[in-house]
Amino acid sequence: MAQLLLIEDDERVRSALLRSLRDLNHQVASASDAMSGLRAAVDHRPDLVVLDLGLPDLDGSQMLRMLRGVSDVPVIVATARDDEDEIVRVLGSGADDYVVKPFTAKQLDARIQAVLRRVGGAGPTDATVAVGPLRIDPRGRSAHLDGAALELSPKEFDLLHYLAARVGEVVAKRRLLTDVWDLPFGGADKTVDVHLAWLRRKLGETAQAPRFLHTVRGVGVKLVDPTDGGER
Ligand code: CA
């Protein structure tokens, strides 16, 4: 399915993951330390790197910075440390996602799919989305309302694009946390609420007088075409 590079020094973990990921139809190369991992990332040009943070030769954040110096490849870090600070640090150093050990190959695969979908190049999700007077261009990461550019933060943009691509569909906040924030193990619903509020302000509407963004109490939120009378 995808060309992966697994960088993991624990031989048992590495061979078990190699086997499982191959069973899931991925092509997997592997390395057992940071320096050979860096070399393999350059040589093999993988679609995605799974990086163990506890490597013998380099600290995880150092490794990420070096990797970012040579490649934009998406990275999922595997950490044994269920440590929020460490996770925040590596996400800040350029990791795209993380998994906390122990994890199953299936869980890792779900993360891999999600990251690849998110960073995915050409595909149907790159098409411009038009909802009434709203136009969203995922390639240019720009959005226009009535022809005027909206100044959106990256997350506001992702959220708007995600909802607009599913116009009329009620999306649960939990699903937004999984798909837009990549927090499959949950997070604060408040994160979604806050971003929705910011997005509403930029769209010139309020929760009390919604136009595009309609909250469905206890279920989630949907984006509708305000010019389509039948939609609501
Ligand atoms: Ca390790």
Side-chain angles (χ1 to χ4, degrees):
M1 195 119 199
Q3 304 251 16
L4 307 177
L5 171 62
L6 172 65
I7 307 174
E8 163 67 74
D9 62 315
D10 185 320
E11 152 105 69
R12 246 176 354 151
V13 174
R14 191 174 65 242
S15 53
L17 272 179
L18 273 176
R19 205 167 38 240
S20 310
L21 289 170
R22 283 171 181 157
D23 285 347
L24 290 163
N25 292 321
H26 295 297
Q27 290 189 25
V28 197
S30 71
S32 58
D33 59 62
M35 293 320 283
S36 52
L38 282 170
R39 176 174 297 273
V42 173
D43 291 347
H44 295 295
R45 298 182 155 276
D47 299 321
L48 184 141
V49 171
V50 178
L51 170 66
D52 171 34
L53 280 189
L55 292 172
D57 51 341
L58 272 184
D59 153 75
S61 305
Q62 279 180 308
M63 167 65 184
L64 267 169
R65 276 194 297 275
M66 290 183 71
L67 183 59
R68 278 289 165 260
V70 295
S71 169
D72 288 331
V73 65
V75 177
I76 296 177
V77 294
T79 171
R81 291 156 276 189
D82 190 2
D83 176 349
E84 210 174 314
D85 291 343
E86 174 72 8
I87 289 164
V88 167
R89 214 151 54 84
V90 296
L91 291 175
S93 304
D96 294 87
D97 202 352
Y98 65 94
V99 283
V100 175
K101 290 181 179 180
F103 55 86
T104 66
K106 262 203 166 138
Q107 288 167 338
L108 175 60
D109 185 49
R111 297 301 193 86
I112 290 169
Q113 303 297 347
V115 169
L116 290 177
R117 252 199 320 275
R118 191 153 48 88
V119 303
T125 57
D126 268 1
T128 295
V129 180
V131 179
L134 185 62
R135 291 189 79 79
I136 299 151
D137 169 19
R139 280 178 196 274
R141 291 189 66 83
S142 64
H144 289 79
L145 178 59
D146 292 319
L150 294 171
E151 298 222 349
L152 303 177
S153 73
K155 270 301 172 222
E156 289 165 359
F157 180 86
D158 291 342
L159 179 60
L160 181 64
H161 178 227
Y162 189 89
L163 291 171
R166 293 159 182 76
V167 63
E169 180 186 337
V170 180
V171 181
K173 287 178 188 171
R174 184 177 300 256
R175 190 168 140 208
L176 290 172
L177 286 168
T178 303
D179 290 357
V180 179
W181 275 268
D182 272 304
L183 294 169
F185 305 120
D189 278 11
K190 226 175 164 48
T191 305
V192 176
D193 293 336
V194 167
H195 281 81
L196 279 172
W198 288 338
L199 200 49
R200 282 198 167 106
R201 200 162 51 200
K202 293 185 179 173
L203 292 170
E205 62 181 57
T206 63
Q208 291 70 37
R211 201 169 158 229
F212 289 97
L213 296 170
H214 293 251
T215 302
V216 182
R217 198 181 291 276
V219 185
V221 60
K222 66 175 174 178
L223 188 147
V224 304
D225 180 352
T227 64
D228 179 358
E231 181 57 55
R232 278 174 283 171

